[in-house]
Amino acid sequence: QQPVQSPQAVILREGEDAVINCSSSKALYSVHWYRQKHGEAPVFLMILLKGGEQKGHEKISASFNEKKQQSSLYLTASQLSYSGTYFCGTFYQTGANNLFFGTGTRLTVIP
Amino acid sequence: DTEVTQTPKHLVMGMTNKKSLKCEQHMGHRAMYWYKQKAKKPPELMFVYSYEKLSINESVPSRFSPECPNSSLLNLHLHALQPEDSALYLCASSREQGVKTQYFGPGTRLLVL
């Protein structure tokens, strides 16, 4: 039931852009995005509740395509502080009322 | 304030020991969660408490015993653990169970020898 994220890892130079994808084989009700730095707690970034919804958080935004059962996280003009592992978390339209975390994407921003 | 606190930060225990992990939040949240996270893997749900009652137990071995003494506190009692139980244990809370934002504590890094 775990959503699959791509890419697994990406290295960026400061100022470059990145896209992280989250795909599910089951119909999604909502998508949550978290960032986790090494040895720290996952930090909530944003939640998307409706199909086609897009949300922004500074230079980080996300979209949710309900029909394709996918969400994408967009990081623009990356900063060193963006480094970490990004997880999508999904609630499904049917079944268990749990948050299922995706496989994770390790993002490294270098000077 | 969106703070969830956990103690201890690190714990080393033998396979015959009994220890407890503690989690606290003062956001008035009525759902609290325990997750287990192995290195380079996503968090895996262990237990969910909703209004201080156990709502979900994801088939966790009985050597892990959760407890929710009140709406602000969540404990995880550990007994006779195995080395493969070594992991980061994360506590989280949300306003209610379901499609609500979960806020995570810093975790307890557990090593079982």
Side-chain angles (χ1 to χ4, degrees), chain B residues 13 26 36 55 102 107:
Chain B
M13 59 186 291
H26 294 289
K36 173 182 178 180
S55 170
Q102 293 185 21

Side-chain angles (χ1 to χ4, degrees), chain A residues 2 29-30 32 34 36 38-44 47 49 87 91 96-99 101-104 106, chain B residues 33 35 37 40-45 48 56 58 88 90 97-107 109:
Chain A
Q2 185 178 48
Y29 182 81
S30 69
H32 307 227
Y34 286 84
Q36 186 177 28
H38 182 68
E40 298 181 8
V43 174
F44 172 74
I47 180 174
L49 288 171
F87 291 104
F91 277 90
N97 192 19
N98 297 347
L99 183 66
F101 281 94
T103 49
R106 178 173 288 188
Chain B
Y33 311 80
Y35 288 86
Q37 186 177 26
K40 299 185 179 181
K41 297 290 186 182
E44 295 178 4
L45 183 66
V48 180
I56 295 175
E58 289 289 340
L88 180 67
L90 294 163
Q97 185 182 353
V99 185
K100 298 286 185 277
T101 300
Q102 293 185 21
Y103 296 94
F104 283 81
R109 191 162 297 280

Side-chain angles (χ1 to χ4, degrees), chain B residues 30-68:
Chain B
R30 303 315 299 268
M32 296 186 76
Y33 311 80
W34 280 115
Y35 288 86
K36 173 182 178 180
Q37 186 177 26
K38 300 283 259 184
K40 299 185 179 181
K41 297 290 186 182
E44 295 178 4
L45 183 66
M46 300 174 71
F47 302 103
V48 180
Y49 272 83
S50 177
Y51 288 85
E52 297 141 62
K53 293 192 187 313
L54 184 63
S55 170
I56 295 175
N57 176 342
E58 289 289 340
S59 303
V60 179
S62 59
R63 56 185 184 269
F64 294 91
S65 175
E67 179 196 20
C68 189

Side-chain angles (χ1 to χ4, degrees), chain B residues 12-32:
Chain B
V12 179
M13 59 186 291
M15 289 190 283
T16 59
N17 292 156
K18 285 185 180 181
K19 296 286 185 182
S20 296
L21 309 184
K22 295 184 186 301
C23 173
E24 191 167 3
Q25 57 88 14
H26 294 289
M27 296 179 278
H29 289 175
R30 303 315 299 268
M32 296 186 76

Side-chain angles (χ1 to χ4, degrees), chain A residues 13-71:
Chain A
R13 292 198 178 276
E14 270 187 294
E16 291 182 337
D17 302 339
V19 180
I20 298 172
N21 299 303
C22 173
S23 296
S24 170
S25 58
K26 292 180 63 173
L28 297 174
Y29 182 81
S30 69
V31 181
H32 307 227
W33 284 97
Y34 286 84
R35 176 173 60 210
Q36 186 177 28
K37 292 184 180 285
H38 182 68
E40 298 181 8
V43 174
F44 172 74
L45 295 176
M46 64 190 76
I47 180 174
L48 300 107
L49 288 171
K50 298 178 184 177
E53 186 175 27
Q54 290 189 312
K55 280 200 168 182
H57 178 74
E58 296 180 344
K59 293 180 181 177
I60 301 175
S61 61
S63 63
F64 178 18
N65 187 322
E66 192 176 348
K67 287 185 179 178
K68 290 187 176 180
Q69 296 165 188
Q70 290 178 347
S71 177

